[in-house]
Amino acid sequence: MFIGRETELQFLNDRYNSNKGELIVLYGRRRVGKTETLRQFCKGKPHLFFSCRECTDKLQLKTFSEKLLKENIPASAYISEFSDWDKAIRSITELPYGDKKKLVVIDEFPYMCKGNKSIPSILQNLWDEILKDENIMLVLCGSAMSFIEKELLAEKNPLYGRATGIYKMTEMGFYDAVKFFPDYSARDKVIAYSVLGGIPHYLQQFDNSRTLEENIKKSILTKGSALYSEVEFLLRQELRETPVYNSIIEAVALGNTKLNDISIKSLIDDTSKTSVYLKNLIEPGIVEREFSVSESTKEKANTNRGLYRITDNFFRFWYAFVFTNISELEGGDVDGVYKYSVEPLLHEFAAMSFEDVCREYVRELQKAGELPFRYSKMGRWWGKTTVRRKENQTELADTEIDLLAISKQSDKYLVGECKFKGKPFRYSEYLDTAVKLSSYKDKAEFYYYLFSESGFDENITKESESDSHLVLCYLDEIVGYK
């Protein structure tokens, strides 16, 4: 069963239904579901789908020729193979698809270019000469993101400016991801998402009929299972010096978010080296450099600013629980690792992902026009602000806000606090939230959105009934919004 990707399919179908030639570049990290999305898009349409392999250019051309000639183009009557790529690609104009668009998908296109570096130039010449004026849709797909962004599409490269559509596929959001677990409770959906993230291949490994514990043990912690060695496999494909990257990702997964702290934890003496390694992890979408929502472009340019976090939930889970217990798991102690390492920390581990879920919920509320104002930027905030001490005393201290949305004119603020724990949101915690950024309250209107797994105490509930600027968001409401 194909789940989600409505936006991507709509984009592709809009291009297919256009009245001009289309050259589409669709790319994204491995396992994100590019191939399956393209196959779903091609259903019911006459098309040629060619998956490139890591092989010699001669063998690639031979395989492509065989695939194309099977479509009964005129050339198939007198040749069994094209002599060069120019003739082969030029022949897609002869596909016998009647008045329908000639749809051609080349999957893992970087492999084709790796075997023959002149392919982009050949394609550019053919596009400019004939293809752009034909009823053709040529889709180039690939996982080598650095190659596509820096070589294929960058200025001064052959295909620069030729693509009529460029789509970078990212992992599924929470609301699509949890469609894989329709029978899970709202709480377990959040935890499952915190473990697997939005990568379809990972989500498919869990069985909706099994409990979270059973799925984690069977599909992740058991040696030989689908996800047990997945992270190591991907790292070896994407990066060299795997041991160094293991140390860095583990450091970030265990809560070290500043450059210097990551260097110390991973035993790298030079922070400039650590910065380069982190940059290499950012390119394939494993790590991101996060900035406080209020930071300026100038501040973001400072290499020492920002916090690093793992964007892939499964990577974060794997390094927190599998990598640190690899000896025990290699020995088959699955039950022991789950009971003593995973189970006691799993709920707390999911709290960070719950913040991501709440931010996605707020984005959906904005799309539906259900917020009190339209924000122009939203994210986490950290810095010095007022905090509440005992006996209602306040002082300035370093703190953070889980979710801060700011209007374009900076005259309206939405402050969000997220609590994923087994106890109701307490009134004292709300007061702690309300005092933050209090110095801005004389020049801006504030709204408070409280997100809670386990509801709210009586005092908050009572206050929300008379305060329109205080909104309580319950777990079932958040998870079940779409």
Side-chain angles (χ1 to χ4, degrees):
M1 182 174 63
F2 187 83
I3 294 174
R5 298 304 188 193
E6 287 88 357
T7 303
E8 289 84 352
L9 291 172
Q10 184 64 54
F11 166 79
L12 291 167
N13 279 308
D14 286 346
R15 293 294 191 256
Y16 181 79
N17 293 323
S18 75
N19 57 3
K20 63 175 185 176
E22 298 284 354
L23 176 59
I24 306 300
V25 177
L26 185 142
Y27 70 108
R29 57 162 288 191
R30 296 181 192 280
R31 306 296 203 195
V32 82
K34 301 180 298 299
T35 301
E36 286 305 311
T37 300
L38 285 170
R39 291 198 182 280
Q40 182 71 16
F41 161 66
C42 288
K43 281 185 178 179
K45 304 179 181 74
H47 67 278
L48 174 72
F49 197 111
F50 179 73
S51 298
C52 300
R53 297 179 293 168
E54 277 194 287
C55 62
T56 63
D57 179 57
K58 189 174 182 180
L59 182 56
Q60 197 89 262
L61 177 59
K62 181 177 185 296
T63 310
F64 183 79
S65 297
E66 290 170 352
K67 188 89 173 179
L68 184 55
L69 291 168
K70 282 181 181 177
E71 296 293 310
N72 293 320
I73 61 174
S76 62
Y78 53 87
I79 64 169
S80 59
E81 182 181 340
F82 289 100
S83 58
D84 58 56
W85 281 108
D86 183 275
K87 291 185 178 67
I89 297 173
R90 188 183 295 268
S91 293
I92 67 176
T93 62
E94 300 174 354
L95 286 166
Y97 296 163
D99 58 354
K100 293 185 179 294
K101 218 178 200 81
K102 295 174 174 62
L103 173 58
V104 178
V105 175
I106 301 180
D107 197 13
E108 291 302 348
F109 179 67
Y111 288 159
M112 186 182 284
C113 299
K114 186 178 180 180
N116 187 335
K117 297 187 185 303
S118 67
I119 292 286
S121 294
I122 293 169
L123 192 53
Q124 175 218 321
N125 290 333
L126 287 172
W127 182 257
D128 291 346
E129 181 186 343
I130 58 168
L131 297 182
K132 65 181 176 61
D133 298 318
E134 294 280 336
N135 189 27
I136 279 175
M137 181 173 178
L138 178 60
V139 182
L140 309 178
C141 178
S143 303
M145 296 199 293
S146 180
F147 169 81
I148 289 173
E149 292 176 344
K150 295 181 178 179
E151 297 186 43
L152 198 64
L153 298 175
E155 195 172 358
K156 297 182 180 178
N157 285 285
L159 291 179
Y160 175 74
R162 267 73 183 185
T164 60
I166 301 171
Y167 200 107
K168 182 177 181 179
M169 273 187 69
T170 56
E171 66 177 67
M172 287 179 168
F174 171 76
Y175 290 107
D176 275 343
V178 296
K179 290 175 184 175
F180 285 82
F181 319 111
D183 298 332
Y184 274 19
S185 66
R187 172 187 173 275
D188 283 354
K189 284 178 179 179
V190 172
I191 296 176
Y193 179 68
S194 78
V195 172
L196 299 171
I199 300 296
H201 175 69
Y202 304 162
L203 292 160
Q204 288 170 343
Q205 306 312 314
F206 274 25
D207 185 339
N208 179 61
S209 66
R210 291 195 175 99
T211 65
L212 263 175
E213 178 180 344
E214 290 170 340
N215 273 317
I216 290 172
K217 286 179 179 179
K218 182 177 183 294
S219 298
I220 301 176
L221 302 183
T222 301
K223 184 178 179 180
S225 62
L227 298 178
Y228 181 78
S229 302
E230 171 72 7
V231 170
E232 291 179 309
F233 170 75
L234 282 178
L235 276 187
R236 289 195 190 100
Q237 281 197 316
E238 298 284 349
L239 304 160
R240 299 175 183 176
E241 299 182 80
T242 306
V244 178
Y245 287 107
N246 276 333
S247 300
I248 291 173
I249 299 172
E250 182 189 22
V252 180
L254 295 177
N256 299 278
T257 57
K258 295 181 179 179
L259 181 61
N260 191 54
D261 293 339
I262 297 168
S263 289
I264 293 171
K265 182 67 177 178
S266 53
L267 303 179
I268 299 174
D269 297 331
D270 189 350
T271 55
S272 62
K273 287 184 179 178
T274 308
S275 183
V276 172
Y277 286 124
L278 286 165
K279 184 180 178 183
N280 292 338
L281 289 168
I282 288 171
E283 285 184 356
I286 297 168
V287 169
E288 72 173 352
R289 188 175 168 211
E290 184 185 20
F291 296 91
S292 176
V293 68
S294 61
E295 291 213 30
S296 66
T297 303
K298 183 178 179 181
E299 289 170 323
K300 291 178 181 180
N302 186 333
T303 55
N304 293 319
R305 301 300 291 267
L307 303 178
Y308 292 90
R309 58 172 287 185
I310 297 175
T311 54
D312 186 304
N313 286 356
F314 180 67
F315 268 69
R316 192 166 71 91
F317 179 89
W318 194 90
Y319 278 97
F321 298 114
V322 179
F323 187 69
T324 54
N325 294 287
I326 201 72
S327 296
E328 291 83 355
L329 294 173
E330 284 288 313
D333 188 16
V334 174
D335 291 335
V337 169
Y338 185 86
K339 182 176 180 179
Y340 295 104
S341 295
V342 180
E343 190 173 38
L345 297 174
L346 185 58
H347 198 272
E348 181 184 345
F349 173 84
M352 180 182 290
S353 295
F354 181 59
E355 293 180 16
D356 294 332
V357 172
C358 294
R359 285 189 281 271
E360 187 172 342
Y361 175 59
V362 171
R363 281 192 289 272
E364 292 300 326
L365 290 178
Q366 167 136 304
K367 289 180 191 175
E370 296 177 11
L371 292 178
F373 66 91
R374 185 168 183 83
Y375 64 81
S376 63
K377 53 185 177 180
M378 187 260 287
R380 283 205 307 145
W381 180 94
W382 58 85
K384 285 193 179 294
T385 187
T386 306
V387 296
R388 196 170 64 93
R389 297 302 185 195
K390 290 181 179 179
E391 299 177 356
N392 290 326
Q393 297 295 314
T394 60
E395 63 180 57
L396 279 177
D398 288 323
T399 188
E400 67 176 55
I401 297 171
D402 297 334
L403 186 159
L404 182 63
I406 308 171
S407 66
K408 189 173 183 179
Q409 293 76 25
S410 298
D411 60 347
K412 291 183 175 64
Y413 285 68
L414 187 156
V415 178
E417 188 74 18
C418 311
K419 300 293 182 187
F420 193 74
K421 58 181 185 178
K423 298 177 182 178
F425 204 122
R426 301 195 310 272
Y427 188 69
S428 60
E429 292 171 325
Y430 163 58
L431 294 178
D432 289 339
T433 302
V435 76
K436 296 175 182 179
L437 300 179
S438 57
S439 60
Y440 290 79
K441 289 186 177 178
D442 59 341
K443 54 187 176 184
E445 188 175 5
F446 274 69
Y447 295 84
Y448 294 94
Y449 275 58
L450 308 182
F451 308 88
S452 174
E453 174 201 359
S454 304
F456 303 87
D457 73 17
E458 185 179 349
N459 291 326
I460 302 181
T461 305
K462 187 175 180 181
E463 182 150 338
S464 70
E465 292 172 355
S466 58
D467 186 354
S468 62
H469 285 58
L470 174 59
V471 179
L472 308 185
C473 304
Y474 294 82
L475 185 65
D476 286 342
E477 170 193 338
I478 297 165
V479 173
Y481 184 74
K482 290 185 70 177

